[in-house]
Amino acid sequence: MTALAQWFHRRGWRDLIIGIPYAWLILFFLLPFLIVVAMSLATRTPTAPPFGYGGDNPLINPAGYARLFTDSLYLRAFLTSLINAGVATVLCLLLGYPMALALTRVSKSWRTILLMLVILPFWTSFLLRVYAWMGLMGRNSWFNGLLTDLWNLITPQAWALQSIPMMNTNFAVVLVMVYTYLPFMILPLYANLERLDPALDEAAMDLGSRPFQVFRDVTLPQSIPGIIAGGLLVFIPAAGELVIPSLVGDAAAPMIGRIISDEFAQARDWPMASTVAVALLVLMVGPTMIYSRFQARAEGAETDGAKP
Amino acid sequence: MPAAPHPAPPAPASAPSAQAPSALAPSAMARPFIRIEGVSKRFGSFQAVRDVDLTIGEGEIFALLGGSGCGKTTLLRMLAGFEDPSAGRIFIDGQDMTGVPPWERPVHMMFQSYAIFPHMSVERNIAYGLKHERMSAAQRADRVREMLDLVQLAPFAQRKPHQISGGQRQRVALARALARQPKLLLLDEPLAALDKKLREQTQFELMSIQSRTGVTFIVVTHDQEEAMTLADRIAVMDRGQVRQVGSPTEIYEYPNSRFVAGFIGAISTFAARVVRLTGEIAEVDIPAMDGTFAARSVPGLVEGQSVTLALRPEKISIAKTCPAAVNVVEGQVKDLAYFGKDSLYRVTLPGGDLISVHAVNARRADEGGRPADWDDRVWLSFEPGSAILLTD
């Protein structure tokens, strides 16, 4: 008892405070992940729950992982996910960078208002916003009609359309993902750009650089950490997105989130669903690791600088 | 203090209102190189710079001196092209700078924060401006090396800015600004971020680099000592206006207003009235000193005029016996501060006012080096030529 009290007084609080987040991660992230990994190695059975180990089946059954590579459904789904998420990330960057830059250049009062507008959509239900887009993209909507008229105006007669087929396409998925995830690109970029010293821009200008060269030589290189952070915040959830492709996507070319969901709910193939989930995780961990290494190196360089 | 490199033609009457009524020869100024004509700058309802006229010579070190908010930095930013004047024009080497963007001006600036690019090595920082020059890679490398040698940073060429000290960073900023051989270098509070020891060293380095390169320097500073030691000429600014332009000696010995007199160095001022004018000498009645005193006259004085008589503490002699001098006043030592090499006395005058007197302790205090002690009756005296008459 005294030993315990002693330990507690010496370093108990410190360990407790450091321990809580670790305990949380272990309990709610590592443990469930291990369960998923274990499930991915089980065999599908007509029981409840619908999987088992041993018995007539092998104790460890890696057949699912083989199927990932043999059944083109999975490879195509991964490819679709990566392309859709990649395109959405690049578009978010192209749209979000000027917005984030503009946020740092406007007056303080405008900045508050504009930042508010960036965050505002989160206050409406996500589903509601997706349904709103479905309404806009539908064949009989005014939005579709407007775009169709515009299309017919600028293209030759032969290409004339009744309406633009937007719903249930990858285009729709990317559009809604860009709309949904744009704030996740803007906010880290803004945080990064806002910290840059405006005197650096002036110094570059003073040394003969035009505004475009100032951006290329000074602003852009210094905002790479923000670009990477924003890119990961958009790319990772977009690659695993389930709701958006289910509601507006092309059912014939499903994304990986849809596959996982279908394997669980429709096919009741829990081992295969787990296998796909593990594969997705491995695919996503790669870029994250690269990012952490980048971050650690940048921070390491920063602390080195403390001693002249 | 490096002298102006060219023989001195008479200074042009660029800002007659701000010229000192000086007994000194006009300060040396080379060929007029920068002309600031009637420049004003307004930010909303705030008038940052108001109707400034200045002429700055080639190869000069010129200081813009003033407290915060006096408009000196705004004037500097207008020279660099970061701000456009609301009125007036700026000429650099005869060329009107109106509408010329910063990247096309033959002017480089050393920023107060140094503004070194944190993602580039020392070498790349210095080379940055050179990529806009038509020169071969070898020429560029030579120029960078030359600059690194000039500021003694060659061993640090590959370091990143966060790996070098503050003083070294300042030298990177200087080398980067000088690399493209600007006609004019603007320095915004160049020594403000350095500690005292480094300041003095850097000050002399700046002066030696200026005399070696011959580039015109315009230095913005709030520190009068920095301005006095660095600059060939100083413009004292106050609330957006230039109050006086002149050499450090002119500004210190012949201030043209109570503001300038009070801003540069310590000074005691007294209300006075002109009693009689005889040639070079004006006799003035000073109620605070209970008597009439002789001072060197200034142009435009008339008998009966109310003026201010100003005295620098070091221009006054202090003694325990009445000296044989033109201007003598009796007083009592109220306070004294002993600094070792010198002492500062606060002496109560007959009218009850206090006057500061600075005396060098030429001998040890216990061997008669200290001319007076607390509460002693003392006699103060000053030369007529040392007294400053101010008419504003």
Side-chain angles (χ1 to χ4, degrees):
Chain A
M1 192 60 218
T2 43
L4 191 70
Q6 245 175 16
W7 167 82
F8 195 78
H9 280 296
R10 230 175 333 115
R11 42 181 311 177
W13 284 114
R14 213 182 71 121
D15 287 3
L16 205 67
I17 288 166
I18 296 174
I20 287 171
Y22 278 103
W24 180 277
L25 285 176
I26 289 169
L27 197 65
F28 295 112
F29 182 76
L30 189 63
L31 229 59
F33 174 66
L34 291 177
I35 293 172
V36 171
V37 171
M39 216 185 281
S40 73
L41 295 168
T43 309
R44 185 182 171 200
T45 57
T47 57
F51 64 93
Y53 299 95
D56 297 339
N57 310 304
L59 191 62
I60 287 175
N61 186 356
Y65 289 95
R67 240 171 90 200
L68 276 181
F69 297 97
T70 49
D71 191 336
S72 69
L73 171 75
Y74 302 109
L75 282 178
R76 270 190 288 121
F78 271 115
L79 206 64
T80 310
S81 296
L82 292 183
I83 290 172
N84 283 354
V87 172
T89 307
V90 170
L91 289 177
C92 277
L93 180 64
L94 292 179
L95 279 171
Y97 203 108
M99 291 187 189
L101 202 57
L103 275 172
T104 65
R105 301 285 159 95
V106 296
S107 70
K108 275 262 182 314
S109 47
W110 267 107
R111 194 180 294 194
T112 317
I113 296 169
L114 293 175
L115 265 175
M116 194 67 178
L117 287 177
V118 171
I119 303 166
L120 203 64
F122 289 121
W123 292 0
T124 325
S125 155
F126 162 64
L127 269 182
L128 211 65
R129 284 180 285 136
V130 180
Y131 275 109
W133 272 110
M134 289 167 72
L136 286 176
M137 290 188 292
R139 286 185 181 280
N140 301 317
S141 78
W142 63 268
F143 178 72
N144 199 327
L146 201 75
L147 287 186
T148 310
D149 289 347
L150 210 65
W151 169 265
N152 290 342
L153 205 69
I154 57 172
T155 54
Q157 198 87 55
W159 295 1
L161 290 170
Q162 282 285 303
S163 67
I164 297 176
M166 284 192 275
M167 273 301 288
N168 306 320
T169 60
N170 278 332
F171 166 79
V173 174
V174 170
L175 178 70
V176 178
M177 286 205 298
V178 167
Y179 166 77
T180 309
Y181 291 115
L182 192 56
F184 294 103
M185 181 62 88
I186 294 176
L187 294 176
L189 263 177
Y190 165 71
N192 177 287
L193 291 170
E194 202 246 336
R195 285 208 323 259
L196 303 185
D197 181 1
L200 295 179
D201 291 9
E202 285 183 346
M205 234 185 262
D206 188 63
L207 290 163
S209 291
R210 285 154 189 285
F212 167 71
Q213 293 165 323
V214 174
F215 175 77
R216 185 193 61 196
D217 299 339
V218 178
T219 314
L220 192 62
Q222 289 190 90
S223 64
I224 287 172
I227 294 176
I228 292 176
L232 285 175
L233 281 179
V234 173
F235 184 78
I236 291 174
E241 181 63 53
L242 166 69
V243 176
I244 295 171
S246 304
L247 292 176
V248 304
D250 180 2
M255 279 174 64
I256 208 70
R258 180 72 179 277
I259 297 283
I260 297 174
S261 161
D262 284 355
E263 292 286 3
F264 261 113
Q266 257 90 56
R268 282 186 68 77
D269 189 345
W270 289 20
M272 194 59 215
S274 304
T275 307
V276 177
V278 171
L280 179 64
L281 189 104
V282 169
L283 212 62
M284 292 299 111
V285 161
T288 317
M289 297 268 271
I290 292 168
Y291 174 64
S292 325
R293 177 158 302 183
F294 188 87
Q295 191 86 330
R297 208 179 48 191
E299 270 163 26
E302 208 80 11
T303 36
D304 280 350
K307 38 185 192 289
Chain B
M1 175 89 15
H6 302 288
S14 58
S17 63
Q19 290 293 342
S22 165
L24 291 177
S27 49
M29 201 190 76
R31 186 170 75 88
F33 182 62
I34 290 144
R35 283 210 325 275
I36 298 171
E37 289 182 355
V39 165
S40 295
K41 178 68 185 180
R42 186 183 283 281
F43 294 107
S45 62
F46 175 66
Q47 180 99 40
V49 171
R50 108 186 37 218
D51 201 25
V52 166
D53 289 298
L54 278 177
T55 307
I56 296 162
E58 191 166 20
E60 225 182 344
I61 302 187
F62 191 90
L64 295 170
L65 175 64
S68 62
C70 74
K72 57 191 193 299
T73 301
T74 306
L75 195 56
L76 197 75
R77 290 175 60 80
M78 287 194 280
L79 281 162
F82 298 134
E83 311 281 357
D84 293 322
S86 312
R89 288 197 293 178
I90 293 172
F91 294 87
I92 296 175
D93 205 9
Q95 206 190 333
D96 188 351
M97 286 292 130
T98 309
V100 178
W103 53 88
E104 282 171 12
R105 295 193 181 203
V107 174
H108 290 329
M109 180 149 160
M110 203 176 92
F111 289 77
Q112 187 174 4
S113 64
Y114 309 148
I116 298 176
F117 305 125
H119 56 293
M120 296 181 193
S121 65
V122 167
E123 196 171 41
R124 283 189 57 213
N125 261 286
I126 295 172
Y128 186 78
L130 295 176
K131 64 182 201 167
H132 303 292
E133 300 274 305
R134 285 177 174 276
M135 54 182 2
S136 69
Q139 279 173 313
R140 194 168 301 151
D142 281 351
R143 182 83 187 134
V144 171
R145 187 124 304 269
E146 195 185 320
M147 284 296 116
L148 283 167
D149 289 339
L150 182 73
V151 296
Q152 296 159 28
L153 280 176
F156 302 95
Q158 301 309 323
R159 297 267 188 102
K160 283 283 183 69
H162 60 77
Q163 294 167 323
I164 58 178
S165 72
Q168 289 169 332
R169 246 174 268 170
Q170 198 237 24
R171 300 217 292 274
V172 174
L174 182 64
R176 185 180 67 178
L178 286 171
R180 281 185 82 189
Q181 291 171 304
K183 292 178 181 172
L184 170 63
L185 187 70
L186 308 172
L187 301 101
D188 190 1
E189 302 274 1
L191 306 176
L194 303 177
D195 57 44
K196 194 169 165 17
K197 215 174 131 192
L198 206 53
R199 282 171 82 104
E200 282 177 13
Q201 189 195 331
T202 311
Q203 197 163 301
F204 289 111
E205 255 177 37
L206 277 179
M207 280 156 62
S208 103
I209 285 171
Q210 193 274 339
S211 63
R212 267 184 286 163
T213 55
V215 176
T216 308
F217 276 25
I218 297 183
V219 183
V220 152
T221 178
H222 67 276
D223 182 330
Q224 42 136 329
E225 264 181 50
E226 192 175 310
M228 303 265 294
T229 41
L230 265 179
D232 299 323
R233 288 197 308 145
I234 299 171
V236 182
M237 291 187 71
D238 173 41
R239 280 171 292 170
Q241 279 173 306
V242 172
R243 299 297 295 266
Q244 186 171 356
V245 185
S247 68
T249 322
E250 282 171 331
I251 300 268
Y252 186 79
E253 304 290 5
Y254 297 92
N256 65 357
S257 59
R258 276 186 290 175
F259 174 80
V260 174
F263 191 80
I264 311 270
I267 205 154
S268 305
T269 56
F270 304 95
R273 200 172 50 79
V274 180
V275 180
R276 198 145 56 95
L277 290 167
T278 43
E280 285 268 282
I281 298 298
E283 278 177 52
V284 294
D285 179 49
I286 306 171
M289 294 189 188
D290 198 18
T292 306
F293 297 84
R296 177 175 296 173
S297 183
V298 291
L301 275 192
V302 291
E303 287 181 11
Q305 189 179 352
S306 291
V307 291
T308 302
L309 183 127
L311 279 170
R312 300 271 184 207
E314 77 280 4
K315 299 283 197 294
I316 305 169
S317 302
I318 185 166
K320 272 198 279 199
T321 53
C322 186
V326 186
N327 296 316
V328 181
V329 61
E330 201 181 345
Q332 188 176 22
V333 176
K334 180 170 186 278
D335 219 344
L336 82 84
Y338 174 69
F339 299 125
K341 67 176 170 15
D342 49 21
S343 297
L344 183 70
Y345 300 83
R346 304 274 287 160
V347 177
T348 314
L349 292 172
D353 287 292
L354 285 171
I355 187 168
S356 298
V357 179
H358 218 149
V360 174
N361 297 324
R363 281 186 285 172
R364 283 185 174 164
D366 56 350
E367 288 178 4
R370 182 185 291 174
D373 238 313
W374 275 274
D375 296 331
D376 278 355
R377 301 292 312 167
V378 290
W379 278 267
L380 308 178
S381 57
F382 57 89
E383 293 297 317
S386 300
I388 301 163
L389 286 182
L390 301 167
T391 52
D392 73 325

